[in-house]
Amino acid sequence: MNTPADEGNDNLRYAEYVLGVLDADARAAVAQEVQTTDEAAAAVALWQRRLMPLSDEIASVTPGAYVWVRIHDDLQLDVPVAATRTQPSKGLWNNLPLWHWLGIGASALAVALLVVIALPHRETAPAVTASAGYMVSTIQQDNGVTGWTATMDLDRARMVVVPAAPVALASGRAPELWLIPQGGKPISVGMITRDAPTTITLDSSLLAKLGPTALLAVSVEPIGGSPTGQPTGAVIAKGSISGSPDAHDHVVRVATTFNGMGDGRSV
Amino acid sequence: MSVTSPAEREELNRLLIQTGRNDQKAFAELYKRTSSKLFGVCLRMLRDRSEAEEVLQETYTTVWRRAAGFDAAKASAITWLITLSRNKAIDRLRQHREELMDDPSKLEQTVDDQPTPAAGAETSQEYGRLQHCLDALEPQQRDSVREAFFTGATYNELATRSKVPLGTMKSWIRRSLMQLRVCLEQ
């Protein structure tokens, strides 16, 4: 039978457990007790009620959208993965300084793989399984400054075009992206913007023409695109297309880079 | 997102109970309403975004599997959830403990840098009572209790950070806990 002094000690142990100061062994011992005796469970619950209100002080921070995707995949849920997405990828997609930093400071491949990590998708980790599935292009202006970086995700038939440095355009004009196969005529890929990432779905005929012999180019066109189906304004930037043979190594590095950047706090 | 209003607490209880009945929509809604709070808790302890995200993921997969055992008569859903995330974060910290002890510079970095409530954080009535009782403690002891709660540090780590003997730290914390119990039961 417990003496009052023992009870006091036990009670303190439960308090220490809830506060979180016990080392691994002592913690495990209390956790075990909680599972097996009602007294321990009740004492721990009481201390949780006493101390847990302190967590009111902790500011909420929005986690990356991919966390839910991973949980969803782990548990093989049937509910649509978008069920929780109130503000899709807010912290990342709308982080213009981040995109600019990446566009200027990082290789196109790094941007490519960041995009792959950041975009929620249904497949479970690792994020990149077939490294042959991506192509990238650094689209440079004539002065050598990178205007945009383009990432082609062949498996998902999409391209993400990210502006690096803002490009000056006359009012009423917009940048249009073209694919130029070797020895062929430019094919319109779509309208892009000077200040935000654009995701473009690629049809199969475009997909088939992507490769190291093709070029991407940006021309200045009326808002809404070239009226003729061919570039009508000046070509202001272009770049060749390359694959990403060592994508998997990069994905880890880029993930680390990203995780170290802005913490997306929200209160 | 507030998880402190009585109406919201009731709603979270309902969602967690529904989750325990394998209701995936309720689970998704529960995640939507509570994940940023729990992520804040994990991030404050682990201080590394990707690690906090891993712990958050573990927490919610455990929520899905254990929700049937939730009893609203014993604890509110938000207390249950925060406790679960804290336990997982502390377990993770203990795994790293040796590595941290090998590198004192890292220990220094883990000192909590948010000694006051976050601006805009909404607090409950229970928080008000606890705060009142914490205010009655000696400042150094109060700081140690807060540091322990927010960072998940062991007695050893707390003593190292505060540069006091281990025995001193233990008696500070134990005395504080006993005082808090008496104060909260008044």
Side-chain angles (χ1 to χ4, degrees):
Chain A
M1 195 188 201
N2 280 348
T3 65
D6 287 339
E7 268 173 38
N9 284 341
D10 267 358
N11 215 305
L12 268 180
R13 235 158 42 89
Y14 302 134
E16 290 169 329
Y17 171 77
V18 173
L19 185 61
V21 290
L22 298 179
D23 64 25
D25 292 346
R27 265 189 80 71
V30 176
Q32 176 68 24
E33 262 186 80
V34 170
Q35 296 298 315
T36 50
T37 80
D38 290 345
E39 290 78 11
V44 164
L46 192 56
W47 276 107
Q48 281 163 357
R49 267 212 297 284
R50 287 176 183 141
L51 297 178
M52 230 37 86
L54 252 190
S55 56
D56 284 5
E57 284 188 20
I58 299 172
S60 296
V61 182
T62 308
Y66 43 82
V67 177
W68 171 252
V69 178
R70 291 180 198 155
I71 293 165
H72 187 275
D73 288 348
D74 251 23
L75 297 173
Q76 302 185 312
L77 303 179
D78 306 318
V79 72
V81 72
T84 65
R85 235 179 294 139
T86 41
Q87 305 156 312
S89 313
K90 184 184 170 195
L92 190 62
W93 274 117
N94 297 341
N95 188 340
L96 244 142
L98 166 67
W99 288 116
H100 282 155
W101 175 85
L102 279 165
I104 296 158
S107 71
L109 181 58
V111 176
L113 292 160
L114 173 65
V115 167
V116 170
I117 299 161
L119 285 178
H121 55 87
R122 296 183 67 94
E123 287 81 353
T124 35
V128 178
T129 45
S131 57
Y134 300 95
M135 289 185 178
V136 292
S137 175
T138 301
I139 306 169
Q140 289 185 321
Q141 302 171 60
D142 290 342
N143 61 8
V145 174
T146 300
W148 291 265
T149 55
T151 306
M152 290 138 270
D153 178 344
L154 305 185
D155 293 340
R156 298 186 190 93
R158 67 186 175 191
M159 177 188 291
V160 182
V161 186
V162 179
V167 174
L169 293 178
S171 73
R173 299 276 139 177
E176 183 166 6
L177 182 67
W178 305 86
L179 174 71
I180 310 175
Q182 190 174 35
K185 282 187 171 175
I187 304 163
S188 176
V189 178
M191 301 307 291
I192 57 177
T193 76
R194 300 182 300 140
D195 54 7
T198 308
T199 305
I200 300 167
T201 304
L202 301 170
D203 66 31
S204 53
S205 72
L206 263 179
L207 270 177
K209 293 185 178 72
L210 296 176
T213 58
L215 286 178
L216 288 177
V218 175
S219 72
V220 179
E221 301 294 343
I223 306 247
S226 158
T228 67
Q230 284 295 301
T232 59
V235 171
I236 54 170
K238 53 185 180 293
S240 58
I241 297 172
S242 58
S244 53
D246 54 348
H248 195 80
D249 293 338
H250 280 262
V251 84
V252 175
R253 273 221 308 279
V254 176
T256 309
T257 306
F258 168 60
N259 286 321
M261 302 196 59
D263 65 4
R265 270 166 201 280
S266 67
V267 174
Chain B
M1 173 181 14
S2 165
V3 289
T4 54
S5 75
E8 176 70 5
R9 286 180 170 228
E10 275 306 305
E11 178 63 7
L12 296 179
N13 287 350
R14 191 188 67 76
L15 288 170
L16 184 51
I17 290 167
Q18 285 301 117
T19 301
R21 295 174 186 151
N22 285 336
D23 180 337
Q24 297 191 9
K25 271 192 193 156
F27 180 52
E29 183 66 23
L30 185 72
Y31 179 88
K32 189 161 95 179
R33 290 180 187 226
T34 57
S35 55
S36 56
K37 183 71 192 183
L38 266 53
F39 188 52
V41 170
C42 295
L43 199 56
R44 183 90 173 253
M45 283 195 171
L46 295 162
R47 308 180 73 83
D48 176 281
R49 209 178 154 98
S50 67
E51 204 160 28
E53 282 176 342
E54 279 175 31
V55 169
L56 188 69
Q57 182 185 347
E58 269 176 45
T59 299
Y60 280 95
T61 49
T62 306
V63 167
W64 176 249
R65 293 183 177 126
R66 286 206 208 145
F70 167 69
D71 180 354
K74 288 188 181 156
S76 68
I78 191 64
T79 297
W80 192 87
L81 290 166
I82 291 175
T83 299
L84 190 59
S85 62
R86 273 176 56 85
N87 283 342
K88 294 220 178 276
I90 293 171
D91 288 345
R92 180 67 71 108
L93 284 173
R94 295 296 178 270
Q95 286 169 16
H96 290 330
R97 184 155 173 266
E98 285 180 14
E99 170 193 328
L100 283 171
M101 294 308 273
D102 287 344
D103 185 354
S105 67
K106 276 192 173 174
L107 266 181
E108 290 299 316
Q109 287 165 18
T110 58
V111 171
D112 197 55
D113 57 4
Q114 294 176 284
T116 53
E122 293 180 46
T123 57
S124 60
Q125 235 182 340
E126 292 80 3
Y127 172 81
R129 288 185 60 216
L130 179 58
Q131 189 58 52
H132 165 78
C133 291
L134 280 166
D135 282 344
L137 301 177
E138 293 292 324
Q140 250 182 331
Q141 306 186 6
R142 173 173 63 236
D143 290 349
S144 298
V145 169
R146 293 176 53 87
E147 172 100 359
F149 182 86
F150 291 118
T151 67
T154 60
Y155 275 132
N156 258 316
E157 290 161 347
L158 292 169
T160 307
R161 288 178 200 173
S162 300
K163 301 182 174 66
V164 297
L166 177 60
T168 304
M169 183 52 71
K170 282 190 178 175
S171 67
W172 280 359
I173 297 262
R174 287 176 178 161
R175 199 179 310 148
S176 301
L177 288 167
M178 283 189 287
Q179 273 182 260
L180 284 177
R181 181 175 62 185
V182 171
C183 176
L184 288 166
E185 278 168 4
Q186 272 169 7

